[in-house]
Amino acid sequence: MSSSLKISVIIPVYNEADTIRSCIANVKESCGDDSEIIIVDGSSDGSTLSAVDDAGVLLLASPPGRAVQMNYGEQKAEGDILLFLHADTTLPSSAGSLVRKALRAPCTTAGAFKLGFDSSSRTMKFIAFLADLRCRIERIPYGDQAIFISKTTFLELGGFPEIQLMEDVEFFQTIKKKRLEIVILKESITTSARRYLSTGPLRCALRNTFLRLLHRLGVRTQTLAAMYCRRES
């Protein structure tokens, strides 16, 4: 895969006005000014889009739902490589080069970065360690690890399943069922620990593990999403 291939960074947002400018600046620094940045807002008030003052960023509104927003962003993307990024996640330096290099490997289909948090607490470091261990064993990264894939392959796979929760898990399960290679980079992204800290780090980690277990047991994603929302509130 050529180093000249264009990267489209797709950022699904919902009430991220406070973080979106720093997110854009980080993408430009880590992926280069020639990368395409697409922000897809699922909020009806458009507050996140209103906070963007960069004419080079493509701003889109869509129905809510992370999978719906990401798929819509892909439809407008002109890049050869798609990188799906959460607004509260910071990419490492030279992320663009790292992604291109990873996808140049003959067998690699898709990948993600190692998980890291913007917290120095031992609990959060331990949670990140366990998440990385799980990810390297299962080869199923989560959406907050900055998933990347070639646009051609993404289309061949049919995009993200438009479900309320676990769209990232089901997407990578499909890749695994096809016996395609998934790479987890050793470089870390840095994602916000705000949800963990507001809910309680251990409680949040256990909740996520429990929901993932129920998903593996075949519980409907609508039920899981309802359980997730109740615990968030």
Side-chain angles (χ1 to χ4, degrees):
M1 182 168 288
S2 171
S3 60
S4 65
L5 292 184
K6 185 174 183 177
I7 297 177
S8 292
V9 182
I10 298 170
I11 309 170
V13 297
Y14 194 92
N15 297 336
E16 292 288 356
D18 294 338
T19 62
I20 196 61
R21 289 188 182 184
S22 59
C23 178
I24 292 170
N26 168 250
V27 170
K28 289 188 172 183
E29 181 181 355
S30 59
C31 295
D33 289 332
D34 58 340
S35 59
E36 181 182 41
I37 302 176
I38 302 173
I39 298 173
V40 189
D41 193 354
S43 173
S44 59
D45 65 10
S47 59
T48 305
L49 300 184
S50 299
V52 178
D53 57 2
D54 189 326
V57 177
L58 180 59
L59 304 178
L60 303 174
S62 87
R66 185 167 283 150
V68 173
Q69 292 168 242
M70 292 190 292
N71 285 341
Y72 186 56
E74 175 277 320
Q75 292 174 24
K76 305 297 181 179
E78 298 180 353
D80 309 283
I81 297 171
L82 307 175
L83 192 157
F84 297 94
L85 181 69
H86 289 190
D88 60 358
T89 295
T90 302
L91 293 167
S93 60
S94 303
S97 298
L98 293 169
V99 167
R100 290 188 183 96
K101 181 180 179 181
L103 291 178
R104 276 200 301 269
C107 297
T108 301
T109 296
F113 290 84
K114 180 180 177 182
L115 181 65
F117 292 104
D118 62 350
S119 171
S120 59
S121 79
R122 292 182 179 179
T123 301
M124 292 309 303
K125 287 182 178 180
F126 182 64
I127 289 172
F129 168 78
L130 291 179
D132 181 56
L133 182 63
R134 176 206 60 77
C135 186
R136 293 187 184 279
I137 292 173
E138 290 188 333
R139 315 305 290 179
I140 296 181
Y142 290 160
D144 55 5
Q145 292 176 242
I147 293 167
F148 54 85
I149 187 170
S150 75
K151 182 172 182 177
T152 300
T153 305
F154 185 82
L155 291 173
E156 290 173 352
L157 293 169
F160 288 104
E162 295 189 351
I163 53 181
Q164 293 178 285
L165 200 68
M166 302 286 180
E167 76 285 337
D168 44 6
V169 172
E170 292 202 6
F171 182 70
F172 276 95
Q173 284 177 337
T174 298
I175 295 176
K176 285 190 67 176
K177 287 176 183 177
K178 293 180 177 293
R179 300 185 180 277
L180 301 174
E181 183 68 23
I182 299 166
V183 62
I184 308 300
L185 301 180
K186 66 178 186 300
E187 292 81 8
S188 298
I189 50 83
T190 303
T191 195
S192 173
R194 57 183 176 174
R195 294 186 185 277
Y196 283 86
L197 297 177
S198 63
T199 305
L202 292 178
R203 179 186 175 192
C204 191
L206 289 172
R207 175 205 62 190
N208 293 345
T209 301
F210 179 63
L211 291 175
R212 177 69 193 282
L213 176 61
L214 292 179
H215 178 258
R216 293 189 67 175
L217 293 174
V219 176
R220 295 191 313 158
T221 54
Q222 295 94 321
T223 303
L224 298 179
M227 295 173 65
Y228 180 85
C229 291
R230 283 202 300 271
R231 285 171 167 81
E232 283 285 292
S233 59

